[in-house]
Amino acid sequence: KIMMKLNGISILESLLKQISNCTKLDGVILATTVNKEDDAIETFANDNSIDFFRGNSSDVLDRFYQCSKKFSVDNIVRITSDCPLLDPQLVDKVISLFLTKKYDYTNNFVERTFPFGTEVEVFSFDSLEKAWKNAKLISQREHVTPYIYDNPTLFSLGYVKHSVDISNLHFAVDRIEDLKFVRMIYQKIKKNPILLNDILEILDKNPTLNNINKEIDPREGYKKSLLNDGEI
């Protein structure tokens, strides 16, 4: 999915172009699966001199833990690769909160006010290791960090919120309708990086754009994991 073309380059390349404008990232590691269909991601990483790690396709928590251990990463900024409209200034803001307030974990989505597809989370390796050792539910293993943010007594948690609730918006590429929506945004905004306020301005002027993917449930994958847990 992430190698599909978006604006002349792939979804993955679009995301990397966006976060190249972050001021607080020390580096990028692509953490992908051992599945054959992800050979293309390894090839892309090699061609572009990007560090990568290949691990478990379903136990993503284990993949992140093993990746972080291999590269001796003290603090991890987790960004999913299907979010090509991620605002680099938002990434820096979540990182700054983590560093300034000395939290174990920070994000911008548990108390959701930002659009889907703008998720950023930052956590220490110690917190990741604790989750890796103790998380048992399928949803906790597949989605990496629920064990952390669902246990506020075990971890110190900090959240970044938007000034108004715009969580009804959906910028991630989960379905073909999402791809059409993001392509339209790239057609209308010819600058780098594309910031959240740029998108909001376009949507304010072109409100019908939201109709392209408004029927898509951005929490579909997580809900399936909870079903497997027997939670819902």
Side-chain angles (χ1 to χ4, degrees):
K1 176 179 71 174
I2 62 172
M3 302 309 290
M4 294 178 68
K5 295 299 181 183
L6 181 60
N7 59 327
I9 58 177
S10 68
I11 293 171
L12 175 59
E13 289 173 281
S14 300
L15 171 64
L16 292 173
K17 189 175 180 181
Q18 284 283 104
I19 65 173
S20 69
N21 294 278
C22 294
T23 63
K24 298 185 180 299
L25 280 179
D26 295 325
V28 173
I29 304 169
L30 297 179
T32 189
T33 79
V34 294
N35 297 347
K36 185 169 180 56
E37 59 263 30
D38 286 331
D39 288 351
I41 297 176
E42 178 176 341
T43 299
F44 171 82
N46 283 324
D47 289 346
N48 292 275
S49 301
I50 299 173
D51 288 327
F52 69 93
F53 178 85
R54 302 189 71 168
N56 198 300
S57 60
S58 55
D59 189 345
V60 190
L61 174 55
D62 181 71
R63 191 199 314 168
F64 266 77
Y65 175 72
Q66 301 301 340
C67 175
S68 301
K69 194 172 181 180
K70 176 183 176 180
F71 287 95
S72 300
V73 179
D74 293 326
N75 298 314
I76 300 99
V77 181
R78 181 172 180 243
I79 296 168
T80 56
S81 54
D82 57 359
C83 299
L85 293 176
L86 182 61
D87 185 333
Q89 294 181 359
L90 177 56
V91 177
D92 284 342
K93 188 175 292 188
V94 179
I95 295 173
S96 293
L97 180 64
F98 176 84
L99 296 174
T100 303
K101 300 297 184 181
K102 302 293 190 294
Y103 290 110
D104 296 319
Y105 174 93
T106 58
N107 77 21
N108 68 322
F109 62 84
V110 167
E111 298 181 9
R112 186 174 287 278
T113 54
F114 284 93
F116 287 87
T118 63
E119 293 82 2
V120 184
E121 51 189 342
V122 187
F123 43 93
S124 64
F125 178 79
D126 289 344
S127 298
L128 177 64
E129 186 169 55
K130 189 180 292 186
W132 179 76
K133 288 178 178 178
N134 295 288
K136 306 300 181 187
L137 297 175
I138 291 173
S139 61
Q140 294 173 342
R141 307 300 302 192
E142 182 180 354
H143 295 277
V144 185
T145 54
Y147 180 84
I148 298 176
Y149 58 71
D150 285 342
N151 284 288
T153 59
L154 300 179
F155 305 94
S156 57
L157 311 176
Y159 303 120
V160 172
K161 296 182 181 181
H162 196 266
S163 56
V164 294
D165 185 354
I166 50 173
S167 59
N168 60 304
L169 303 175
H170 185 194
F171 300 166
V173 181
D174 296 316
R175 301 291 188 200
I176 191 65
E177 292 86 355
D178 300 324
L179 185 60
K180 291 177 182 177
F181 171 82
V182 176
R183 281 174 173 165
M184 288 296 295
I185 296 298
Y186 269 98
Q187 286 178 19
K188 291 182 178 294
I189 304 176
K190 303 295 184 183
K191 65 187 287 280
N192 177 51
I194 295 174
L195 303 179
L196 177 58
N197 284 340
D198 298 326
I199 303 171
L200 296 179
E201 185 178 333
I202 289 295
L203 294 179
D204 185 55
K205 294 177 180 177
N206 304 270
T208 57
L209 286 177
N210 286 318
N211 295 333
I212 297 174
N213 63 345
K214 70 176 184 178
E215 301 300 325
I216 305 300
D217 183 358
R219 289 178 54 84
E220 181 181 10
Y222 189 54
K223 287 178 179 178
K224 286 181 179 178
S225 294
L226 292 177
L227 279 172
N228 289 329
D229 293 343
E231 294 293 317
I232 59 175

